[in-house]
Amino acid sequence: MFRSLIKIALLLVAGILVYNFFFGTNEEQENSKKVFGQIRGVVVSVGQLLKTEKEKFNAGKYDAALDKLGEAYRAIRSQAKHLDEKVIKRLDELENRKAELERELNEIEANDLENASPALKKKDPKVEKERAAKLADQLKRKEELLRELETLVNDSDSLLQDAGNK
C-alpha cells in the first residue's frame, strides 16, 4: 500500500511538472525546467555510481567471496563421511543458495553490459528515463545480493563451526 501511495504521488508530481512545463506561467515553466535539470543530474549521478559498481563487480568484488565459499564447501564435502546428515543437508542448501547468487550476479553483469551504452546517439528523454530506472533497479538488486551474500557467509561460518564441533 505504501508503494502504491508513493507511485501515485510521483505520478502526480510528474504530471504537475509536465503541465507546468507546457502550460504554466513563465515562473512555473522556469521551475519545471530547473526540476528537469536536477532530475537529469540525478540520472547522470546514478549512471556514474553504477559504472563504478560495475568496475568493482568486474574486479571481482563478489567473485572472491563466492570462490572462498566454494573452497569451504569442497573442504566440508571432502570430510562428509565424518559428518552428521543434518550438516550435509545444510551444506547442500548453502551450495544451492551460492549457485543461485552466482546465477543472479551473472545476469546482472550481462544486463550491466547491455545498459552501459545508450542505444541512440540522440538522447531521448523517455529512453534515458527508462534506462536510469533500469540502472537504479540493477543497483538495488546488487545491494540485495550483497546482503544475501553476507547472510550466506554467516550461515556458512555457522555450518563450519557446527562441522568442526562434530
Side-chain angles (χ1 to χ4, degrees):
M1 175 157 171
F2 187 66
R3 283 187 178 191
S4 297
L5 291 175
I6 291 175
K7 287 179 185 177
I8 291 170
L10 288 175
L11 285 173
L12 183 62
V13 168
I16 290 170
L17 284 172
V18 170
Y19 177 82
N20 286 344
F21 186 80
F22 290 108
F23 304 111
T25 65
N26 287 339
E27 183 180 327
E28 290 172 337
Q29 288 178 347
E30 287 298 318
N31 287 337
S32 293
K33 287 179 184 177
K34 285 180 187 176
V35 170
F36 285 128
Q38 291 171 349
I39 289 172
R40 184 175 184 272
V42 168
V43 169
V44 169
S45 296
V46 168
Q48 290 172 345
L49 177 65
L50 288 175
K51 185 184 269 187
T52 303
E53 270 301 305
K54 183 184 178 313
E55 290 169 3
K56 288 179 186 177
F57 184 82
N58 288 340
K61 178 179 178 180
Y62 303 106
D63 293 339
L66 290 171
D67 289 343
K68 287 180 184 179
L69 284 176
E71 291 171 15
Y73 296 158
R74 282 189 288 282
I76 294 171
R77 182 84 53 202
S78 69
Q79 300 296 321
K81 57 187 169 203
H82 305 292
L83 299 176
D84 184 9
E85 188 65 31
K86 289 168 126 179
V87 174
I88 293 172
K89 284 183 181 180
R90 282 181 55 200
L91 177 62
D92 291 339
E93 175 198 329
L94 291 173
E95 286 177 329
N96 289 337
R97 284 173 50 194
K98 176 186 169 282
E100 180 65 22
L101 274 174
E102 285 178 319
R103 185 191 63 73
E104 288 188 45
L105 287 170
N106 289 335
E107 271 182 34
I108 286 175
E109 185 175 341
N111 287 336
D112 280 350
L113 292 174
E114 183 180 305
N115 292 324
S117 60
L120 303 172
K121 289 187 179 184
K122 183 178 178 186
K123 303 219 177 191
D124 180 12
K126 185 177 180 181
V127 171
E128 286 298 311
K129 185 177 178 182
E130 290 174 4
R131 184 170 167 259
K134 285 180 184 178
L135 292 174
D137 288 342
Q138 289 287 98
L139 180 60
K140 182 179 176 184
R141 186 61 188 139
K142 279 183 183 179
E143 290 171 357
E144 291 171 0
L145 288 175
L146 184 57
R147 283 191 296 275
E148 289 177 30
L149 181 60
E150 289 171 0
T151 302
L152 182 61
V153 168
N154 291 336
D155 291 348
S156 298
D157 285 342
S158 173
L159 176 68
L160 289 171
Q161 289 175 358
D162 290 349
N165 293 333
K166 299 212 181 224

